[in-house]
Amino acid sequence: MLALKNVRDVRQALKPVFTRDGYAVLMMHSPRCSHCRNALPAFQQAANNNGQSDRTYASIDTTDNNLAAFVSECSVTGVPTFFILRSDYSIEKVHPDRTMQGFLEI
């Protein structure tokens, strides 16, 4: 799983997603949120068990001022929030079961 710290990290880390027919699963979270802290281990497990899929898992700290523009662009109003970012740059909000299997099924 990628822990992205600024917009440059987001663009750099997700560049491979856009060069193949894959997508990224983004978890927008806050370190102070208990729901986020509870979901993060399962999200990490899904990222580690992803295998050869064309899927990238990335977590984004919504409290990081360097990412404020990206978070705003995604219209994040609460956390945790999950998105699919596709190779055509479209973004879709999803509501997965917050288990490893739920994240793998996105």
Side-chain angles (χ1 to χ4, degrees):
M1 179 180 70
L2 306 168
L4 307 174
K5 300 292 184 192
N6 55 51
V7 173
R8 188 176 60 96
D9 282 354
V10 171
R11 289 187 181 128
Q12 190 66 16
L14 300 180
K15 187 183 264 186
V17 172
F18 303 131
T19 59
R20 64 181 193 273
D21 193 22
Y23 62 93
V25 179
L26 305 178
M27 176 182 181
M28 304 289 196
H29 70 92
S30 168
R32 296 183 288 273
C33 169
S34 62
H35 296 288
C36 297
R37 288 193 307 268
N38 289 337
L40 206 50
F43 192 78
Q44 178 69 49
Q45 287 177 326
N48 292 341
N49 290 302
N50 191 30
Q52 298 301 317
S53 175
D54 281 341
R55 187 175 333 156
T56 300
Y57 287 81
S59 68
I60 296 176
D61 180 353
T62 58
T63 66
D64 187 328
N65 288 334
N66 293 321
L67 291 170
F70 183 75
V71 171
S72 178
E73 185 179 323
C74 294
S75 301
V76 175
T77 57
V79 290
T81 304
F82 303 92
F83 294 96
I84 294 174
L85 183 60
R86 300 191 190 285
S87 58
D88 65 358
Y89 295 95
S90 65
I91 192 162
E92 173 188 352
K93 190 178 207 177
V94 292
H95 304 280
D97 182 24
R98 294 181 190 170
T99 64
M100 181 186 76
Q101 190 60 39
F103 292 128
L104 285 172
E105 291 173 358
I106 294 176

PDB file of all heavy atoms in Angstrom, residues 39-54:
ATOM      1  N   ALA A  39     -10.248   0.536   9.953  1.00  0.00           N
ATOM      2  CA  ALA A  39     -10.300   0.050   8.570  1.00  0.00           C
ATOM      3  C   ALA A  39      -8.917  -0.111   7.949  1.00  0.00           C
ATOM      4  O   ALA A  39      -8.726  -0.930   7.049  1.00  0.00           O
ATOM      5  CB  ALA A  39     -11.136   0.992   7.710  1.00  0.00           C
ATOM      6  N   LEU A  40      -7.943   0.650   8.413  1.00  0.00           N
ATOM      7  CA  LEU A  40      -6.622   0.665   7.787  1.00  0.00           C
ATOM      8  C   LEU A  40      -5.925  -0.702   7.762  1.00  0.00           C
ATOM      9  O   LEU A  40      -5.357  -1.065   6.728  1.00  0.00           O
ATOM     10  CB  LEU A  40      -5.735   1.713   8.465  1.00  0.00           C
ATOM     11  CG  LEU A  40      -4.604   2.300   7.644  1.00  0.00           C
ATOM     12  CD1 LEU A  40      -5.063   2.796   6.288  1.00  0.00           C
ATOM     13  CD2 LEU A  40      -3.928   3.417   8.404  1.00  0.00           C
ATOM     14  N   PRO A  41      -5.952  -1.523   8.828  1.00  0.00           N
ATOM     15  CA  PRO A  41      -5.292  -2.836   8.751  1.00  0.00           C
ATOM     16  C   PRO A  41      -5.882  -3.740   7.658  1.00  0.00           C
ATOM     17  O   PRO A  41      -5.136  -4.407   6.933  1.00  0.00           O
ATOM     18  CB  PRO A  41      -5.495  -3.438  10.140  1.00  0.00           C
ATOM     19  CG  PRO A  41      -5.662  -2.258  11.034  1.00  0.00           C
ATOM     20  CD  PRO A  41      -6.396  -1.241  10.199  1.00  0.00           C
ATOM     21  N   ALA A  42      -7.195  -3.754   7.507  1.00  0.00           N
ATOM     22  CA  ALA A  42      -7.822  -4.578   6.462  1.00  0.00           C
ATOM     23  C   ALA A  42      -7.465  -4.038   5.079  1.00  0.00           C
ATOM     24  O   ALA A  42      -7.237  -4.814   4.144  1.00  0.00           O
ATOM     25  CB  ALA A  42      -9.336  -4.618   6.649  1.00  0.00           C
ATOM     26  N   PHE A  43      -7.397  -2.717   4.949  1.00  0.00           N
ATOM     27  CA  PHE A  43      -7.006  -2.101   3.678  1.00  0.00           C
ATOM     28  C   PHE A  43      -5.569  -2.490   3.343  1.00  0.00           C
ATOM     29  O   PHE A  43      -5.267  -2.843   2.203  1.00  0.00           O
ATOM     30  CB  PHE A  43      -7.165  -0.578   3.777  1.00  0.00           C
ATOM     31  CG  PHE A  43      -7.074   0.131   2.460  1.00  0.00           C
ATOM     32  CD1 PHE A  43      -8.151   0.129   1.589  1.00  0.00           C
ATOM     33  CD2 PHE A  43      -5.930   0.818   2.108  1.00  0.00           C
ATOM     34  CE1 PHE A  43      -8.081   0.791   0.371  1.00  0.00           C
ATOM     35  CE2 PHE A  43      -5.851   1.484   0.903  1.00  0.00           C
ATOM     36  CZ  PHE A  43      -6.924   1.476   0.029  1.00  0.00           C
ATOM     37  N   GLN A  44      -4.688  -2.467   4.344  1.00  0.00           N
ATOM     38  CA  GLN A  44      -3.287  -2.866   4.155  1.00  0.00           C
ATOM     39  C   GLN A  44      -3.193  -4.343   3.759  1.00  0.00           C
ATOM     40  O   GLN A  44      -2.428  -4.698   2.866  1.00  0.00           O
ATOM     41  CB  GLN A  44      -2.494  -2.626   5.446  1.00  0.00           C
ATOM     42  CG  GLN A  44      -1.043  -3.056   5.371  1.00  0.00           C
ATOM     43  CD  GLN A  44      -0.225  -2.194   4.454  1.00  0.00           C
ATOM     44  OE1 GLN A  44      -0.276  -0.979   4.546  1.00  0.00           O
ATOM     45  NE2 GLN A  44       0.511  -2.794   3.554  1.00  0.00           N
ATOM     46  N   GLN A  45      -3.983  -5.194   4.400  1.00  0.00           N
ATOM     47  CA  GLN A  45      -3.998  -6.616   4.049  1.00  0.00           C
ATOM     48  C   GLN A  45      -4.442  -6.820   2.609  1.00  0.00           C
ATOM     49  O   GLN A  45      -3.872  -7.638   1.885  1.00  0.00           O
ATOM     50  CB  GLN A  45      -4.928  -7.400   4.973  1.00  0.00           C
ATOM     51  CG  GLN A  45      -4.390  -7.591   6.369  1.00  0.00           C
ATOM     52  CD  GLN A  45      -5.405  -8.312   7.251  1.00  0.00           C
ATOM     53  OE1 GLN A  45      -6.624  -8.131   7.098  1.00  0.00           O
ATOM     54  NE2 GLN A  45      -4.910  -9.121   8.152  1.00  0.00           N
ATOM     55  N   ALA A  46      -5.461  -6.103   2.184  1.00  0.00           N
ATOM     56  CA  ALA A  46      -5.924  -6.204   0.801  1.00  0.00           C
ATOM     57  C   ALA A  46      -4.820  -5.788  -0.159  1.00  0.00           C
ATOM     58  O   ALA A  46      -4.592  -6.440  -1.180  1.00  0.00           O
ATOM     59  CB  ALA A  46      -7.173  -5.355   0.592  1.00  0.00           C
ATOM     60  N   ALA A  47      -4.126  -4.720   0.168  1.00  0.00           N
ATOM     61  CA  ALA A  47      -3.023  -4.260  -0.675  1.00  0.00           C
ATOM     62  C   ALA A  47      -1.932  -5.321  -0.761  1.00  0.00           C
ATOM     63  O   ALA A  47      -1.386  -5.581  -1.838  1.00  0.00           O
ATOM     64  CB  ALA A  47      -2.450  -2.953  -0.126  1.00  0.00           C
ATOM     65  N   ASN A  48      -1.631  -5.961   0.354  1.00  0.00           N
ATOM     66  CA  ASN A  48      -0.587  -6.985   0.386  1.00  0.00           C
ATOM     67  C   ASN A  48      -1.011  -8.270  -0.312  1.00  0.00           C
ATOM     68  O   ASN A  48      -0.167  -9.017  -0.800  1.00  0.00           O
ATOM     69  CB  ASN A  48      -0.183  -7.299   1.829  1.00  0.00           C
ATOM     70  CG  ASN A  48       0.521  -6.140   2.491  1.00  0.00           C
ATOM     71  OD1 ASN A  48       1.029  -5.241   1.831  1.00  0.00           O
ATOM     72  ND2 ASN A  48       0.521  -6.138   3.808  1.00  0.00           N
ATOM     73  N   ASN A  49      -2.308  -8.565  -0.353  1.00  0.00           N
ATOM     74  CA  ASN A  49      -2.832  -9.790  -0.957  1.00  0.00           C
ATOM     75  C   ASN A  49      -3.391  -9.570  -2.349  1.00  0.00           C
ATOM     76  O   ASN A  49      -4.102 -10.419  -2.869  1.00  0.00           O
ATOM     77  CB  ASN A  49      -3.916 -10.399  -0.055  1.00  0.00           C
ATOM     78  CG  ASN A  49      -3.326 -10.972   1.206  1.00  0.00           C
ATOM     79  OD1 ASN A  49      -2.473 -11.834   1.152  1.00  0.00           O
ATOM     80  ND2 ASN A  49      -3.765 -10.471   2.343  1.00  0.00           N
ATOM     81  N   ASN A  50      -3.075  -8.452  -2.930  1.00  0.00           N
ATOM     82  CA  ASN A  50      -3.623  -8.068  -4.217  1.00  0.00           C
ATOM     83  C   ASN A  50      -3.125  -8.953  -5.356  1.00  0.00           C
ATOM     84  O   ASN A  50      -3.764  -9.061  -6.385  1.00  0.00           O
ATOM     85  CB  ASN A  50      -3.291  -6.600  -4.487  1.00  0.00           C
ATOM     86  CG  ASN A  50      -4.030  -6.048  -5.672  1.00  0.00           C
ATOM     87  OD1 ASN A  50      -5.129  -6.466  -5.986  1.00  0.00           O
ATOM     88  ND2 ASN A  50      -3.404  -5.105  -6.339  1.00  0.00           N
ATOM     89  N   GLY A  51      -1.982  -9.580  -5.212  1.00  0.00           N
ATOM     90  CA  GLY A  51      -1.448 -10.453  -6.259  1.00  0.00           C
ATOM     91  C   GLY A  51      -1.046  -9.693  -7.499  1.00  0.00           C
ATOM     92  O   GLY A  51      -0.477  -8.620  -7.432  1.00  0.00           O
ATOM     93  N   GLN A  52      -1.362 -10.252  -8.638  1.00  0.00           N
ATOM     94  CA  GLN A  52      -0.957  -9.677  -9.927  1.00  0.00           C
ATOM     95  C   GLN A  52      -2.040  -8.797 -10.552  1.00  0.00           C
ATOM     96  O   GLN A  52      -2.038  -8.562 -11.742  1.00  0.00           O
ATOM     97  CB  GLN A  52      -0.590 -10.819 -10.892  1.00  0.00           C
ATOM     98  CG  GLN A  52       0.572 -11.655 -10.418  1.00  0.00           C
ATOM     99  CD  GLN A  52       1.830 -10.835 -10.228  1.00  0.00           C
ATOM    100  OE1 GLN A  52       2.152  -9.986 -11.055  1.00  0.00           O
ATOM    101  NE2 GLN A  52       2.536 -11.073  -9.149  1.00  0.00           N
ATOM    102  N   SER A  53      -2.941  -8.334  -9.754  1.00  0.00           N
ATOM    103  CA  SER A  53      -4.036  -7.507 -10.257  1.00  0.00           C
ATOM    104  C   SER A  53      -3.514  -6.179 -10.786  1.00  0.00           C
ATOM    105  O   SER A  53      -2.454  -5.709 -10.394  1.00  0.00           O
ATOM    106  CB  SER A  53      -5.028  -7.264  -9.117  1.00  0.00           C
ATOM    107  OG  SER A  53      -6.031  -6.384  -9.529  1.00  0.00           O
ATOM    108  N   ASP A  54      -4.290  -5.573 -11.676  1.00  0.00           N
ATOM    109  CA  ASP A  54      -3.955  -4.234 -12.191  1.00  0.00           C
ATOM    110  C   ASP A  54      -4.538  -3.161 -11.288  1.00  0.00           C
ATOM    111  O   ASP A  54      -5.012  -2.137 -11.735  1.00  0.00           O
ATOM    112  CB  ASP A  54      -4.503  -4.062 -13.615  1.00  0.00           C
ATOM    113  CG  ASP A  54      -3.638  -4.742 -14.639  1.00  0.00           C
ATOM    114  OD1 ASP A  54      -2.473  -5.017 -14.333  1.00  0.00           O
ATOM    115  OD2 ASP A  54      -4.132  -4.993 -15.744  1.00  0.00           O
TER     116      ASP A  54
END
